[in-house]
């Protein structure tokens, strides 16, 4: 008993301190750094940029519009063959400043300065002028963390807009990604536009991603191509967050759909 | 003067001493955590910044026992997990860094100056990235070729940047711990 008391006098405070520190660290880890993320957002608030650097983004935006056009043209061609009811709805996005990058070197992430208070949820889609950027992986009330497309762990189903050949894409750091095709001999060449495919579970179909930079058809087990991402991921300052819904394919270009007359027969009603 | 005001406070309220000395230590960890996601101009090399937590662990462990180094590494590693992604954990590499730095017993072999601290940080940064690369290799999911090509790139950039910025963390903290008597004579 006396020995215990003496040990406590000598090491008591130290062990309590270590225990408290360990407990805090574990808590932070379990809550995925929610407290830290919020503090970071608060501390960096005076340094958040204002949307004034439009000039730099105009170039990327023109590129995005061109890619959207190609995507729409080839999709339109297919839709003309099919007769069906297509609803086009304008989806409103949340514009958020990029306030930080990944806290280590192995993950390609950014931190956005808007959170669940502005309607951002885990799984929301993040776009920027230029195309798809990534997906929200965790969110607190005023900040959210985005896993970028360029992270090796993010995989997306993609398609070549011109020839509709499918494949999947995984990130390769910086602003490059590798696309693996499902077919053995895909119709693909340098400069082709790549967008998300209808098979993608995490992203809506038809969002522009980038261009094919080089093709390696002899690669086994499947042919591969290097994609140059069109969104300026390395100097991203602003991004727009959309809820993950199927009719997001072209959020800016779709016109509000004309109201359907009540007397018109709906597709379900026809025998 | 500021220092005498602090001494005055400790004389009048001895209980405040541990609170102030540990408070400054905790705040320095928080500052390191808050700087991690930023990429300030001059602090980044091809999108990679210094590993501030690693510098902190080295600064802590240089004059301490291996157990204390390991504890600091574990706690800061868990905190970094919270900031990024918990798998694979950062605790393994930082614990190793803490233990090895304490094991070096710098004061016995090398004179204390910022060159030697920078050298230790350089070596430890390469080691930490290597441990993480091994963890990623064992975990699977990413291709081995990509992991190790990327490892070469970030180990070098991170080591150079961390060692250049190490004195900024090391000197103030070391002065503080010496003044507060928090550094044990090993």
């Amino acid at each position: 008993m006396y020995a215990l008391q003496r040990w406590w006098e000598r090491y008591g405070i130290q062990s309590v301190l270590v225990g408290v520190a360990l407990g805090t660290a574990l808590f932070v880890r379990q809550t995925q750094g929610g407290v830290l993320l919020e503090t970071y957002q608060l501390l960096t608030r005076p340094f958040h940029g204002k949307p004034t650097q439009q000039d730099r983004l105009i170039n990327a935006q023109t590129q995005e519009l061109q890619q959207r056009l190609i995507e729409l043209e080839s999709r339109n061609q297919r839709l003309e063959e099919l007769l069906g009811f297509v609803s086009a709805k304008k989806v409103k996005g949340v514009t958020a400043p990029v306030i930080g990058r990944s806290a280590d070197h192995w993950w390609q992430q950014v931190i956005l300065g808007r959170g669940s208070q502005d309607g951002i949820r885990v799984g929301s889609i993040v776009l920027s002028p230029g195309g798809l950027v990534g997906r929200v992986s965790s969110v607190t009330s005023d900040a959210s963390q985005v896993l970028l497309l360029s992270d090796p762990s993010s995989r997306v189903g993609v398609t070549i807009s011109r020839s509709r050949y499918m494949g999947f894409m995984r990130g390769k750091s910086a602003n490059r990604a590798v696309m693996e095709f499902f077919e053995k001999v895909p119709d693909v060449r340098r400069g082709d536009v790549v967008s998300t495919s209808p098979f993608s579970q995490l992203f809506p179909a038809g969002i522009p991603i980038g261009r094919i930079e080089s093709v390696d058809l002899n690669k086994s087990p499947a042919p591969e191509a290097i994609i140059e991402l069109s969104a300026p991921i390395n100097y991203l300052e602003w991004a727009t967050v959309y809820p993950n819904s199927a009719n997001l394919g072209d959020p800016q270009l779709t016109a509000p759909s004309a109201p359907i007359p009540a007397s018109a027969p709906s597709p379900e009603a026809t025998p | 003067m500021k220092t005498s005001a602090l001494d005055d406070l400790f004389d009048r309220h001895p209980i405040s001493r541990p609170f102030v000395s540990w408070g400054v230590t905790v705040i320095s960890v928080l500052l390191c955590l808050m700087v991690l996601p930023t990429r300030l101009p001059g602090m980044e090399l091809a999108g990679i910044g210094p590993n501030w937590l690693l510098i902190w662990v080295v600064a802590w462990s240089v004059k301490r026992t291996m157990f204390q180094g390991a504890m600091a590494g574990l706690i800061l590693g868990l905190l970094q997990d919270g900031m990024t992604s918990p798998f694979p954990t950062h605790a393994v590499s930082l614990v190793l860094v803490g233990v090895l730095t304490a094991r070096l017993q710098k004061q016995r072999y090398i004179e204390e100056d910022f060159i030697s601290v920078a050298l230790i940080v350089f070596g430890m940064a390469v080691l930490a990235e290597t441990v993480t690369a091994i963890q990623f290799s064992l975990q699977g999911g990413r291709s081995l070729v990509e992991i190790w090509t990327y490892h070469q790139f970030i180990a070098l950039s991170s080591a150079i940047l961390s060692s250049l910025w190490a004195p900024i963390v090391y000197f103030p903290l070391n002065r503080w711990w010496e003044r507060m008597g928090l550094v044990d004579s090993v």
Side-chain angles (χ1 to χ4, degrees):
Chain A
M1 199 60 209
Y2 179 66
L4 198 68
Q5 197 180 353
R6 223 176 40 180
W7 181 90
W8 177 252
E9 268 168 20
R10 192 141 173 231
Y11 297 111
I13 296 178
Q14 281 177 30
S15 27
V16 167
L17 278 176
V18 167
V20 167
L22 260 182
T24 320
L26 270 176
F27 170 76
V28 167
R29 185 178 194 253
Q30 281 327 104
T31 55
Q32 268 304 288
V35 187
L36 292 175
L37 218 59
E38 282 290 295
T39 325
Y40 181 77
Q41 201 271 346
L42 210 69
L43 283 181
T44 54
R45 186 167 282 171
F47 307 109
H48 295 180
K50 293 185 176 59
T52 49
Q53 27 74 35
Q54 285 296 321
D55 320 343
R56 197 199 284 181
L57 299 177
I58 281 175
N59 199 12
Q61 193 146 27
T62 348
Q63 217 183 349
E64 182 198 0
L65 291 178
Q66 275 176 351
Q67 294 181 2
R68 282 235 166 92
L69 198 67
I70 297 173
E71 163 71 19
L72 280 176
E73 274 173 357
S74 72
R75 192 147 41 128
N76 211 24
Q77 214 173 6
R78 290 196 55 210
L79 284 176
E80 276 172 359
E81 299 160 14
L82 306 163
L83 213 69
F85 178 75
V86 181
S87 81
K89 199 169 110 197
K90 198 162 184 166
V91 188
K92 253 187 101 179
V94 183
T95 309
V98 174
I99 60 173
R101 297 251 152 196
S102 161
D104 77 349
H105 307 135
W106 289 89
W107 295 90
Q108 307 280 326
Q109 296 168 323
V110 292
I111 301 172
L112 298 180
R114 297 261 190 286
S116 54
Q117 276 190 344
D118 297 287
I120 296 179
R121 300 277 171 273
V122 171
S124 294
I125 310 300
V126 184
L127 301 180
S128 88
L132 189 61
V133 169
R135 193 169 164 273
V136 174
S137 60
S138 76
V139 64
T140 60
S141 66
D142 285 308
S144 48
Q145 216 166 29
V146 178
L147 188 70
L148 295 176
L149 274 190
S150 54
D151 190 277
S153 68
S154 67
R155 270 137 216 250
V156 189
V158 290
T159 176
I160 304 289
S161 286
R162 179 176 54 84
S163 58
R164 312 308 298 174
Y165 274 93
M166 307 271 188
F168 75 91
M169 186 201 91
R170 56 171 201 276
K172 203 193 171 203
S173 74
N175 63 340
R176 297 286 188 280
V178 180
M179 175 176 177
E180 260 182 51
F181 290 94
F182 296 145
E183 263 95 343
K184 270 285 170 211
V185 192
D187 173 15
V188 57
R189 54 177 179 246
R190 207 166 158 267
D192 275 350
V193 171
V194 180
S195 57
T196 50
S197 84
F199 293 150
S200 174
Q201 298 282 315
L202 300 175
F203 297 97
I207 305 179
I209 285 181
R211 280 169 186 280
I212 298 284
E213 193 184 56
S214 63
V215 186
D216 183 1
L217 288 178
N218 298 323
K219 188 93 177 179
S220 81
E224 277 188 3
I226 305 285
I227 303 174
E228 184 189 2
L229 302 177
S230 51
I233 281 185
N234 285 336
Y235 50 95
L236 210 58
E237 284 180 24
W238 284 84
T240 321
V241 186
Y242 293 93
N244 188 1
S245 63
N247 43 20
L248 185 77
D250 13 59
Q252 274 117 51
L253 292 185
T254 43
S257 55
I260 303 138
S263 58
S266 68
E268 289 87 11
T270 48
Chain B
M1 261 176 71
K2 203 182 168 190
T3 46
S4 65
L6 211 57
D7 285 331
D8 205 33
L9 176 76
F10 294 155
D11 282 344
R12 261 186 290 153
H13 310 283
I15 189 79
S16 66
R17 193 183 173 90
F19 283 103
V20 173
S21 65
W22 284 103
V24 170
T25 311
V26 170
I27 287 172
S28 70
V29 173
L30 281 181
L31 276 181
C32 283
L33 274 177
M34 290 296 116
V35 182
L36 271 185
T38 59
R39 298 284 188 273
L40 300 175
M43 274 192 199
E44 74 165 344
L45 204 65
I48 284 181
N51 195 341
W52 295 102
L53 293 185
L54 179 127
I55 302 176
W56 199 96
V57 171
V58 169
W60 169 270
S61 317
V62 156
K63 290 180 182 170
R64 285 187 170 77
T65 60
M66 297 206 299
F67 177 75
Q68 287 169 324
M71 270 299 144
L74 179 61
I75 290 163
L76 266 65
L78 292 179
L79 288 175
Q80 198 175 9
D81 281 355
M83 291 286 278
T84 54
S85 174
F87 301 106
T89 174
H90 301 80
V92 178
S93 54
L94 286 183
V95 165
L96 206 64
V97 166
V99 170
L100 283 180
T101 312
R103 188 80 184 76
L104 276 178
Q105 302 204 322
K106 180 172 94 67
Q107 65 277 20
R108 197 182 283 177
Y109 305 113
I110 322 169
E111 219 175 305
E112 176 179 338
D113 58 350
F114 68 92
I115 304 263
S116 59
V117 173
L119 275 178
I120 296 178
V121 170
F122 189 93
M124 290 302 160
V126 174
L127 178 87
E129 299 302 354
T130 311
V131 170
T132 316
I134 293 172
Q135 281 176 292
F136 269 116
S137 311
L138 294 179
Q139 192 185 26
R142 302 186 182 194
S143 84
L144 284 182
V145 181
E146 271 169 31
I147 292 175
W148 289 98
T149 341
Y150 192 54
H151 164 259
Q152 285 176 7
F153 163 67
I154 57 172
L156 199 61
S157 335
S158 155
I160 291 172
L161 278 171
S162 304
S163 61
L164 286 177
W165 285 96
I168 275 202
V169 178
Y170 174 74
F171 272 110
L173 273 180
N174 202 43
R175 281 292 299 272
W176 177 255
W177 286 329
E178 270 174 3
R179 192 173 132 58
M180 288 292 127
L182 275 182
V183 184
D184 296 345
S185 45
V186 186

